[in-house]
Amino acid sequence: MKALVYHGPGQRGWDTVDDPTIIDPTDAIVRIDTTTICGTDLHILKGDVPETTPGTILGHEAVGTILEVGKSVTTVAKGDRVLLSCVSACGRCRYCKEGHYGQCLGGGGWIFGHTINGVQAEYARVPFADNSVYKIPDQLSNEQVLFLADILPTSYEVGVLNGAVSPGDTVAIVGAGPIGLAAILTAKLYTPGRIIAIDLADSRLEGAKRFGADMTINNSSEDPLETVMDLTEGLGADVAFEAVGVPQTFELATQLVRPGGHVANIGVHGKSATLHLETLWIRDVTITTGLVDTFSIAPLMRLIASGRLDPSLFATHHYALDDTMGAYDTFADAANTGALKVVLQGNESGTQHAKRAPAVAAA
Amino acid sequence: MKALVYHGPGQRGWDTVDDPTIIDPTDAIVRIDTTTICGTDLHILKGDVPETTPGTILGHEAVGTILEVGKSVTTVAKGDRVLLSCVSACGRCRYCKEGHYGQCLGGGGWIFGHTINGVQAEYARVPFADNSVYKIPDQLSNEQVLFLADILPTSYEVGVLNGAVSPGDTVAIVGAGPIGLAAILTAKLYTPGRIIAIDLADSRLEGAKRFGADMTINNSSEDPLETVMDLTEGLGADVAFEAVGVPQTFELATQLVRPGGHVANIGVHGKSATLHLETLWIRDVTITTGLVDTFSIAPLMRLIASGRLDPSLFATHHYALDDTMGAYDTFADAANTGALKVVLQGNESGTQHAKRAPAVAAA
Amino acid sequence: MKALVYHGPGQRGWDTVDDPTIIDPTDAIVRIDTTTICGTDLHILKGDVPETTPGTILGHEAVGTILEVGKSVTTVAKGDRVLLSCVSACGRCRYCKEGHYGQCLGGGGWIFGHTINGVQAEYARVPFADNSVYKIPDQLSNEQVLFLADILPTSYEVGVLNGAVSPGDTVAIVGAGPIGLAAILTAKLYTPGRIIAIDLADSRLEGAKRFGADMTINNSSEDPLETVMDLTEGLGADVAFEAVGVPQTFELATQLVRPGGHVANIGVHGKSATLHLETLWIRDVTITTGLVDTFSIAPLMRLIASGRLDPSLFATHHYALDDTMGAYDTFADAANTGALKVVLQGNESGTQHAKRAPAVAAA
Amino acid sequence: MKALVYHGPGQRGWDTVDDPTIIDPTDAIVRIDTTTICGTDLHILKGDVPETTPGTILGHEAVGTILEVGKSVTTVAKGDRVLLSCVSACGRCRYCKEGHYGQCLGGGGWIFGHTINGVQAEYARVPFADNSVYKIPDQLSNEQVLFLADILPTSYEVGVLNGAVSPGDTVAIVGAGPIGLAAILTAKLYTPGRIIAIDLADSRLEGAKRFGADMTINNSSEDPLETVMDLTEGLGADVAFEAVGVPQTFELATQLVRPGGHVANIGVHGKSATLHLETLWIRDVTITTGLVDTFSIAPLMRLIASGRLDPSLFATHHYALDDTMGAYDTFADAANTGALKVVLQGNESGTQHAKRAPAVAAA
């Protein structure tokens, strides 16, 4: 089969490799019908993720069709159209039993395109299939559910739920890249009173408005702290999300939050930040970090089905799976292309992915 | 002054009575600018509430203007436009300290138009003013916030919050009278996947659709249990609200809920219900009851200000305060008049209640 | 092998039956080293549980040794000493993913000695072994952990956790049979201020004191409502447990609870109760029901290991497994024998169950 | 009257000053019967708290007798023996309404001995008396409840509750000074499986054992990270408390915690710490900070009354109030004197503080 293979820092190829086969009785083999690229894939390509070794197929977000299942798989069967979670769950360890699949101790967690072959390929082996894939209702297209593999649950679980967003809250989101936009979209499920997006790029802030931000602040020219304090009687935001992954934005988030509020870190960090305990110790703040567990796939899928959550705005570019190399070029150059997420479609997915018009079209 | 006075079962008058005066240093005197009538007022008039004695002024929902405050009142002052909560809070007892104002042990709780004179009058004495009234932002009209006095926080706190409505949930609401409609409106703040309204009257079910129900069931002709089970793979609703106040509807709510789900009783009951523990003991259900505390007035007011909660649909009829007697006739005959809530406006409120156009008009 | 077989209402035998064998790849075969009898087993013998058919081996609580595992079992292996939970978990369905194993939709739940053969036998087939058995640390004896199979997690999860017992609370427990005693023992983990046990039998109330009740009320001669109100400034208990399973005790629990408190039903009910909504609707009560999930086995086992939870008081009688028939006689006649739980020990368990002295002995 | 007055960095006196008088109708005047000294008082004396101006009476922990109340005070009266909370609550602002008295916006919060005169004096003016003092049951002595003014609720609310300690948990406490010892004492209310105290001084670690630590680690000679990982199968502690107030101990706490665990900062910090987001972003940690609210005084007082919480170990030294200067010398030299808390008793308190023998004596 063909697959996008990592060949060491800066190098990738759309190579012919062996088809995957069942190894464990809990495996499934899935034909990849629709997949996408994540910012993390770019980090791997830069060489920032040393545990990913050359020769690994990248990708951890996909919709596909079950071709074969191992002997102990009972909840999905050949022919089922399924969403593959970016996080695999053994379903048996302490963390999986608590729904913390991202911390799986039994061989799961984030493994696709990281420590095992990923899903930017024609076929993939899916470990722990019973606990790691989700059947898709007929009325939903592949593209409608694709972003449930990672970006939507990440922003929802690690941002919105960890941050305890509540009706009427002021929510400040530092960073308006894809993960910040997903945070806007999913924060709205709890009807905050006001969502404020903060970024250095006007183009990204325009995106934030399209996704539902009530107000935007370009912090290259405006002081977000002053604005947020003015809006909140000097208290600060109820919830602040860090959605970039650098020390400065984290530190800004901790300044923006009111006494008693929540700072939810969503960004992936490579460096330490300074925690100003000399001011924060007395302010009753709660700071959370987290890797997505994807336990929220089922309720979020129900909301897409009922037209109450519409991730279609993310799909800025479409490519055939065979053109994954070109899709990477577009996605990596987001500053110029405006790419949020690129959708890669396999040959057979055209007849599969939209059995009928998506519900949201009629909404 | 003039006031609506209860004269015993079946008897009321728009009488001239003494103006109220400050009694305790925590009191305020408020000019009533806008008020309304509650189903509970009708119950009192029927004689169902024996602790309300003849001679009592009725009413527990109002917007007004502070005319005078007692010596220890510090948070509001003469001239402030304020919402009067239906529940007074001493602010000092165990329950008030936990935000359970409805259970106040220090002389508060539901007292207006119940154990002390109420607010269907030109003026009212408001006990514990610091903890029982809420300043209104300039951009909101009296009518926009009026229903925060009782019906909206009741459905939100006793229904939506007690029932733990979450994004994606199936919510079944038994009863589509005003309190059921308020439950629909406020449940939507948590973006359930599906709201199902159940009632015996098609006219009320049409109202439910206007307020946002996704589906309605007339249980005089259709079996709601069968329908809800069909929609939920045989499990039942995640949350069921009882919003009527009779045994049958409560029992229906306990049948509609899935294992692990919540039954939130909002209705006011005069009789016992049967609790089918022989089936429920094993089903992990949580059943809650409650009197409103109105701790949610502040966030709900923020949501009205931001245009995300619009209670204007409730105001089906408008009367001058002087015509409170006529307003009662209309409200009591809701089956024919279609009245949900009637708005009573004092003489001076016309110049007060809308300093500028409501935010929602522009939304 | 030998096993206790149900032969229809009133009839049981210690019969020779076929040894169990692996059926599914998720199965394990376990040699039963230590087991016990539950009140539910007596209900089955009375014919109260029609889904249990004649020919079924009874019993759902055991400690044993793994003899063989199916091909997909990865977390336990031959020779492991394990606790068998009374509730089996498929580990793959919606409820199992939320830790609600008691509501398993994938073939688990309470099945042992109910819908499949149970564990009062020399050997047992254990479905879904990876998610349904728990390895036992060397320093704990079989008898120390045996009651984690059912009675302790039942009282802890369905009583203490559902009832939200908190430090300083007044806890009223209606019923001082084994399940009420387990509720006393596990409620103490949250250091309530006062535990009040209520029962009709002085002998059981003496047991309650031994297990840690601060006060006992014999409600054949004393009015528990008056006493509890006197102790709580007229408010009532913070938490009331129903631990009997009849309408009167449930109704008493709902009377004993304070406004804002919790009623946790632990008892198994065969009849409906009356729910006095005419008084309860306004009192902010939360009523819960539930079947045990046994998600708490791991933390409770840690507490037994550290000597902070000591279930040894339950083991009032000991029998050889071969004398299960006699053990039933003793247990069924608890009023005269004083039996709380009888411990049945297999032939080989003597050398297995106490590799060293229990930690609690030294505590 | 006599009072301990701050005269600028390094200078204090036991001075004759004016008696306090009622200023606001919500005030009370209290005769101080028993008081104590806090580490924070030493910080003020060093000049570390610039908002405390020379001339201020120090102290924020006391038991006293009401001598006079303002006109709007209703819940306490002349002659009542009361505990003074270190945190005053206006009872009317947003934060007070949520029980977050430490963040009071209405003039309360930590003001005693900080921005207004404190309680190391013969008499004190107590603002917001209705919401800031707590009546003491007759059977409890002054000394038994004295530490409820600050240290016990601080460790309980900011440590144990923020850290979500649960039965069976492994709790690591970094710092075994008075606040760390109070954390040990109050963590035990939730029956953790294991409490590990970490400090540089063996003398303090011996104290930790006396207060109930299961294990101690001297991190001048032993690596606490290695030990904690060994004890927890390489995962880390469920909860880690920082109870010192320097960057190194905070950073240690963030290393000790398991994925999904809680770090509760209790220490008062003067410098920033480094937050290792490059490792923490993926570990699902929750970090909390906080100033005490003292909402837990009531349940903790009930537990002292029932003998389940015994703070008497803290009272290492006793002085007459007249000898406050000497008490400061002893407390400031804790390394040599072993002082944990010094108890200062007024002249008249001897006849007041123990109407009968403390309950714990009999326990």
Side-chain angles (χ1 to χ4, degrees):
Chain A
M1 70 169 182
K2 289 291 200 175
L4 194 288
V5 180
Y6 170 61
H7 291 300
Q11 295 182 289
R12 55 178 152 86
W14 181 247
D15 299 353
T16 300
V17 298
D18 288 344
D19 283 5
T21 54
I22 296 279
I23 298 176
D24 293 315
T26 48
D27 288 347
I29 301 298
V30 171
R31 184 189 71 217
I32 301 302
D33 296 324
T34 309
T35 183
T36 182
I37 307 171
C38 179
T40 305
D41 298 326
L42 303 183
H43 279 291
I44 295 172
L45 277 170
K46 281 188 196 148
D48 291 350
V49 184
E51 63 269 29
T52 303
T53 52
T56 302
I57 298 171
L58 297 187
H60 52 264
E61 304 161 276
V63 175
T65 303
I66 302 269
L67 299 186
E68 187 187 354
V69 296
K71 288 195 175 168
S72 75
V73 174
T74 58
T75 64
V76 287
K78 186 176 173 181
D80 284 347
R81 190 167 58 116
V82 294
L83 175 76
L84 276 54
S85 168
C86 66
V87 158
S88 303
C90 82
R92 308 164 181 202
C93 73
R94 168 186 179 164
Y95 283 101
C96 282
K97 285 183 176 179
E98 296 173 352
H100 275 112
Y101 312 128
Q103 307 292 340
C104 176
L105 300 170
W110 171 40
I111 54 174
F112 276 141
H114 182 206
T115 57
I116 67 167
N117 281 329
V119 301
Q120 291 162 0
E122 291 182 297
Y123 305 99
R125 179 179 74 92
V126 177
F128 310 116
D130 276 316
N131 289 76
S132 309
V133 308
Y134 296 81
K135 279 196 241 188
I136 302 170
D138 285 352
Q139 79 267 30
L140 293 177
S141 72
N142 287 3
E143 189 174 319
Q144 279 183 292
V145 300
L146 176 62
F147 306 123
L148 290 177
D150 181 345
I151 189 170
L152 286 171
T154 292
S155 288
Y156 184 59
E157 297 173 7
V158 181
V160 177
L161 296 183
N162 278 1
V165 174
S166 296
D169 276 359
T170 293
V171 177
I173 301 182
V174 186
I179 203 76
L181 299 177
I184 294 172
L185 207 62
T186 54
K188 286 162 63 184
L189 300 176
Y190 282 89
T191 319
R194 185 161 43 200
I195 296 175
I196 303 166
I198 300 164
D199 201 297
L200 294 164
D202 283 334
S203 58
R204 285 197 293 264
L205 291 171
E206 280 156 29
K209 288 218 161 175
R210 276 201 311 279
F211 274 75
D214 297 290
M215 171 177 294
T216 59
I217 300 173
N218 186 319
N219 60 332
S220 68
S221 56
E222 190 182 345
D223 179 0
L225 190 56
E226 194 181 316
T227 306
V228 168
M229 291 299 159
D230 281 353
L231 287 167
T232 56
E233 303 172 27
L235 290 175
D238 297 290
V239 185
F241 294 155
E242 198 286 339
V244 179
V246 299
Q248 295 85 339
T249 48
F250 178 81
E251 288 159 37
L252 176 57
T254 64
Q255 291 177 297
L256 291 171
V257 77
R258 71 166 171 85
H262 286 74
V263 175
N265 183 80
I266 322 178
V268 175
H269 291 260
K271 291 184 183 166
S272 298
T274 300
L275 189 68
H276 290 281
L277 283 173
E278 73 280 16
T279 53
L280 290 170
W281 77 266
I282 202 170
R283 284 171 66 82
D284 291 13
V285 295
T286 301
I287 298 170
T288 53
T289 70
L291 180 68
V292 68
D293 297 311
T294 68
F295 61 75
S296 65
I297 285 176
L300 294 177
M301 200 183 286
R302 286 198 293 272
L303 288 169
I304 295 174
S306 66
R308 299 220 161 109
L309 177 65
D310 178 7
S312 63
L313 275 173
F314 279 112
T316 52
H317 295 73
H318 291 77
Y319 284 84
L321 184 59
D322 279 343
D323 197 10
T324 297
M325 293 294 280
Y328 260 87
D329 293 338
T330 294
F331 183 67
D333 190 26
N336 292 305
T337 62
L340 295 176
K341 292 292 278 185
V342 299
V343 178
L344 296 161
Q345 288 172 320
N347 293 332
E348 301 186 57
S349 65
T351 55
Q352 292 279 338
H353 81 141
K355 296 191 179 176
R356 68 176 176 80
V360 291
Chain B
M1 69 167 184
K2 289 292 199 175
L4 193 288
V5 180
Y6 170 61
H7 290 300
Q11 293 183 291
R12 56 177 151 85
W14 182 246
D15 299 354
T16 299
V17 298
D18 288 345
D19 282 5
T21 54
I22 296 279
I23 297 175
D24 293 314
T26 47
D27 286 349
I29 301 297
V30 172
R31 184 190 70 217
I32 302 301
D33 297 324
T34 309
T35 183
T36 182
I37 307 171
C38 179
T40 306
D41 298 326
L42 303 182
H43 279 292
I44 295 172
L45 278 170
K46 281 188 195 148
D48 291 350
V49 184
E51 63 270 28
T52 303
T53 52
T56 303
I57 298 171
L58 297 187
H60 52 266
E61 304 161 278
V63 174
T65 303
I66 303 269
L67 298 186
E68 186 187 354
V69 296
K71 289 192 176 171
S72 75
V73 174
T74 59
T75 62
V76 288
K78 185 177 173 181
D80 285 347
R81 189 167 59 115
V82 294
L83 174 76
L84 277 53
S85 167
C86 66
V87 158
S88 303
C90 82
R92 308 164 181 203
C93 72
R94 166 184 181 165
Y95 283 101
C96 282
K97 286 183 176 179
E98 297 173 351
H100 276 111
Y101 313 128
Q103 306 293 339
C104 176
L105 300 170
W110 171 40
I111 55 176
F112 276 140
H114 181 206
T115 58
I116 69 167
N117 280 330
V119 301
Q120 290 163 0
E122 291 183 297
Y123 305 98
R125 180 179 76 91
V126 177
F128 310 116
D130 275 316
N131 289 77
S132 309
V133 308
Y134 295 81
K135 279 197 243 188
I136 302 170
D138 283 351
Q139 77 266 31
L140 293 178
S141 72
N142 287 3
E143 188 173 319
Q144 279 183 292
V145 299
L146 177 61
F147 306 124
L148 291 176
D150 181 346
I151 188 170
L152 284 172
T154 293
S155 288
Y156 183 59
E157 297 172 7
V158 182
V160 177
L161 297 183
N162 278 359
V165 173
S166 297
D169 276 0
T170 293
V171 177
I173 301 181
V174 186
I179 204 74
L181 298 178
I184 294 172
L185 208 60
T186 54
K188 286 162 62 185
L189 300 176
Y190 282 89
T191 319
R194 185 162 41 201
I195 298 176
I196 304 165
I198 301 164
D199 201 296
L200 294 163
D202 283 335
S203 58
R204 284 197 294 265
L205 291 171
E206 282 157 27
K209 289 216 160 175
R210 274 201 312 280
F211 274 74
D214 297 290
M215 171 179 293
T216 60
I217 302 173
N218 186 320
N219 60 330
S220 68
S221 57
E222 190 182 346
D223 179 359
L225 190 56
E226 193 182 316
T227 306
V228 168
M229 291 299 160
D230 281 353
L231 288 167
T232 55
E233 304 172 25
L235 289 176
D238 297 289
V239 185
F241 295 156
E242 197 288 336
V244 178
V246 300
Q248 295 86 338
T249 48
F250 177 82
E251 289 159 35
L252 175 58
T254 63
Q255 290 177 297
L256 291 171
V257 78
R258 70 166 172 85
H262 285 75
V263 175
N265 183 78
I266 321 178
V268 175
H269 291 261
K271 291 184 183 166
S272 298
T274 300
L275 189 69
H276 290 281
L277 284 174
E278 73 279 16
T279 54
L280 291 170
W281 77 266
I282 202 172
R283 283 173 65 83
D284 291 12
V285 296
T286 300
I287 298 170
T288 54
T289 70
L291 181 66
V292 68
D293 297 310
T294 69
F295 61 75
S296 66
I297 285 176
L300 293 178
M301 200 182 288
R302 286 198 292 271
L303 288 170
I304 295 174
S306 66
R308 299 222 160 109
L309 177 65
D310 178 6
S312 63
L313 277 173
F314 279 112
T316 53
H317 296 74
H318 291 77
Y319 284 84
L321 185 58
D322 279 344
D323 197 9
T324 297
M325 294 294 280
Y328 260 88
D329 294 338
T330 295
F331 183 68
D333 191 26
N336 292 307
T337 62
L340 295 176
K341 292 293 278 184
V342 299
V343 178
L344 295 161
Q345 288 172 320
N347 293 330
E348 302 185 56
S349 65
T351 56
Q352 293 279 338
H353 79 144
K355 296 191 179 176
R356 67 174 176 82
V360 292
Chain C
M1 69 170 183
K2 287 292 200 175
L4 194 288
V5 180
Y6 171 61
H7 292 299
Q11 294 181 291
R12 55 178 152 86
W14 181 247
D15 299 353
T16 299
V17 297
D18 288 344
D19 282 5
T21 54
I22 296 279
I23 299 176
D24 293 314
T26 47
D27 287 348
I29 300 298
V30 172
R31 182 191 72 217
I32 302 301
D33 296 324
T34 309
T35 182
T36 182
I37 307 171
C38 178
T40 306
D41 298 327
L42 303 183
H43 279 290
I44 294 172
L45 278 170
K46 280 188 196 149
D48 290 351
V49 185
E51 63 269 28
T52 303
T53 52
T56 303
I57 298 171
L58 296 187
H60 52 264
E61 303 161 279
V63 174
T65 302
I66 302 269
L67 299 186
E68 185 187 356
V69 296
K71 288 192 176 172
S72 75
V73 174
T74 59
T75 63
V76 287
K78 184 175 173 181
D80 285 346
R81 189 168 58 115
V82 294
L83 175 75
L84 276 53
S85 168
C86 67
V87 158
S88 303
C90 82
R92 308 164 182 204
C93 73
R94 167 185 181 164
Y95 283 101
C96 282
K97 285 183 178 182
E98 297 174 351
H100 275 112
Y101 313 127
Q103 306 293 338
C104 175
L105 301 170
W110 171 42
I111 54 175
F112 275 139
H114 181 207
T115 57
I116 68 167
N117 280 330
V119 301
Q120 290 162 0
E122 291 183 298
Y123 305 98
R125 180 179 74 91
V126 177
F128 310 116
D130 275 316
N131 289 78
S132 309
V133 309
Y134 295 80
K135 280 196 241 188
I136 302 170
D138 283 353
Q139 79 266 33
L140 293 177
S141 72
N142 287 4
E143 188 174 319
Q144 278 184 292
V145 298
L146 176 63
F147 306 123
L148 291 176
D150 181 345
I151 189 169
L152 285 171
T154 292
S155 288
Y156 184 58
E157 298 173 8
V158 182
V160 177
L161 296 183
N162 278 0
V165 173
S166 297
D169 277 358
T170 293
V171 177
I173 301 181
V174 186
I179 203 75
L181 298 178
I184 293 172
L185 207 60
T186 55
K188 286 162 63 184
L189 299 177
Y190 283 89
T191 319
R194 184 162 43 201
I195 297 176
I196 304 165
I198 301 164
D199 201 295
L200 293 164
D202 283 335
S203 58
R204 284 197 294 264
L205 291 171
E206 281 157 28
K209 290 217 161 177
R210 273 201 313 279
F211 274 74
D214 298 290
M215 171 177 294
T216 58
I217 302 174
N218 185 321
N219 61 330
S220 68
S221 57
E222 189 182 347
D223 179 0
L225 190 55
E226 194 181 315
T227 306
V228 169
M229 290 299 159
D230 281 353
L231 288 167
T232 56
E233 302 172 28
L235 290 175
D238 298 289
V239 184
F241 295 154
E242 198 285 341
V244 179
V246 300
Q248 296 85 336
T249 48
F250 178 81
E251 289 159 35
L252 176 58
T254 65
Q255 290 178 297
L256 291 171
V257 76
R258 70 164 171 86
H262 285 75
V263 175
N265 183 79
I266 321 179
V268 175
H269 291 260
K271 290 185 183 166
S272 299
T274 300
L275 189 68
H276 290 281
L277 284 174
E278 73 280 14
T279 53
L280 290 170
W281 76 266
I282 202 170
R283 285 173 63 85
D284 292 13
V285 295
T286 300
I287 299 169
T288 53
T289 69
L291 180 68
V292 69
D293 297 311
T294 67
F295 61 76
S296 66
I297 285 176
L300 294 178
M301 200 183 287
R302 285 197 293 272
L303 288 168
I304 295 173
S306 67
R308 298 218 163 114
L309 177 65
D310 177 7
S312 63
L313 276 174
F314 279 112
T316 52
H317 296 73
H318 292 76
Y319 284 85
L321 184 60
D322 278 344
D323 196 10
T324 298
M325 294 295 280
Y328 260 88
D329 294 337
T330 294
F331 183 67
D333 191 27
N336 292 307
T337 62
L340 295 176
K341 293 291 278 183
V342 298
V343 178
L344 296 161
Q345 289 173 317
N347 293 332
E348 301 187 56
S349 65
T351 55
Q352 292 280 339
H353 79 142
K355 295 191 177 175
R356 67 175 176 83
V360 292
Chain D
M1 70 169 182
K2 287 291 199 176
L4 194 287
V5 180
Y6 170 60
H7 292 300
Q11 294 181 289
R12 55 176 153 86
W14 182 247
D15 299 353
T16 299
V17 298
D18 288 345
D19 282 6
T21 55
I22 296 279
I23 297 175
D24 293 315
T26 46
D27 286 349
I29 301 299
V30 171
R31 185 190 69 219
I32 301 302
D33 296 325
T34 309
T35 182
T36 183
I37 307 171
C38 179
T40 306
D41 298 325
L42 302 183
H43 279 291
I44 294 172
L45 277 170
K46 281 186 195 151
D48 290 350
V49 185
E51 63 269 29
T52 303
T53 53
T56 302
I57 299 171
L58 297 187
H60 51 264
E61 303 160 278
V63 175
T65 303
I66 303 269
L67 298 185
E68 185 186 356
V69 295
K71 289 193 174 170
S72 75
V73 174
T74 59
T75 62
V76 288
K78 185 177 172 179
D80 284 348
R81 190 168 58 116
V82 293
L83 174 76
L84 276 53
S85 168
C86 66
V87 158
S88 304
C90 82
R92 307 163 182 204
C93 72
R94 166 185 181 165
Y95 283 101
C96 283
K97 285 183 176 180
E98 296 173 351
H100 275 112
Y101 311 128
Q103 306 292 338
C104 177
L105 300 170
W110 172 41
I111 54 175
F112 275 139
H114 180 208
T115 58
I116 70 168
N117 280 330
V119 301
Q120 289 162 2
E122 291 183 298
Y123 305 99
R125 180 180 75 91
V126 177
F128 311 115
D130 275 318
N131 289 78
S132 310
V133 309
Y134 296 81
K135 279 195 242 188
I136 302 170
D138 283 352
Q139 79 267 31
L140 293 178
S141 71
N142 288 3
E143 188 173 318
Q144 279 183 293
V145 299
L146 176 62
F147 306 123
L148 291 176
D150 181 345
I151 189 169
L152 285 171
T154 292
S155 288
Y156 184 58
E157 298 174 8
V158 182
V160 177
L161 297 183
N162 278 0
V165 174
S166 296
D169 276 358
T170 292
V171 177
I173 302 183
V174 185
I179 204 74
L181 299 178
I184 293 171
L185 208 60
T186 54
K188 286 161 61 184
L189 300 176
Y190 283 89
T191 319
R194 182 162 44 199
I195 297 177
I196 304 165
I198 301 163
D199 201 294
L200 293 163
D202 283 335
S203 58
R204 285 197 294 264
L205 291 171
E206 281 157 27
K209 288 218 162 174
R210 275 200 313 279
F211 274 74
D214 298 291
M215 171 177 295
T216 59
I217 301 174
N218 186 320
N219 58 331
S220 69
S221 57
E222 188 182 347
D223 179 359
L225 190 55
E226 193 181 315
T227 306
V228 169
M229 291 300 158
D230 281 353
L231 287 166
T232 56
E233 303 173 26
L235 290 176
D238 297 290
V239 185
F241 295 156
E242 197 287 338
V244 179
V246 299
Q248 295 85 337
T249 47
F250 178 81
E251 289 159 35
L252 175 58
T254 65
Q255 290 178 296
L256 290 171
V257 77
R258 70 165 171 86
H262 285 74
V263 175
N265 183 79
I266 321 178
V268 175
H269 290 261
K271 292 185 182 165
S272 298
T274 300
L275 189 68
H276 289 282
L277 284 173
E278 74 279 14
T279 52
L280 291 169
W281 76 267
I282 202 170
R283 283 172 66 84
D284 291 13
V285 296
T286 300
I287 299 170
T288 52
T289 70
L291 180 68
V292 69
D293 297 311
T294 67
F295 61 77
S296 65
I297 286 176
L300 293 178
M301 200 183 288
R302 284 197 293 272
L303 287 169
I304 295 173
S306 67
R308 298 216 163 116
L309 177 65
D310 177 7
S312 64
L313 276 174
F314 280 111
T316 52
H317 295 74
H318 291 77
Y319 285 84
L321 184 58
D322 279 343
D323 197 9
T324 298
M325 293 295 279
Y328 261 87
D329 294 337
T330 295
F331 184 66
D333 190 27
N336 292 306
T337 61
L340 295 177
K341 293 292 279 183
V342 298
V343 178
L344 296 161
Q345 288 171 320
N347 293 330
E348 301 186 55
S349 65
T351 55
Q352 291 281 338
H353 79 144
K355 295 189 178 176
R356 67 175 177 82
V360 292

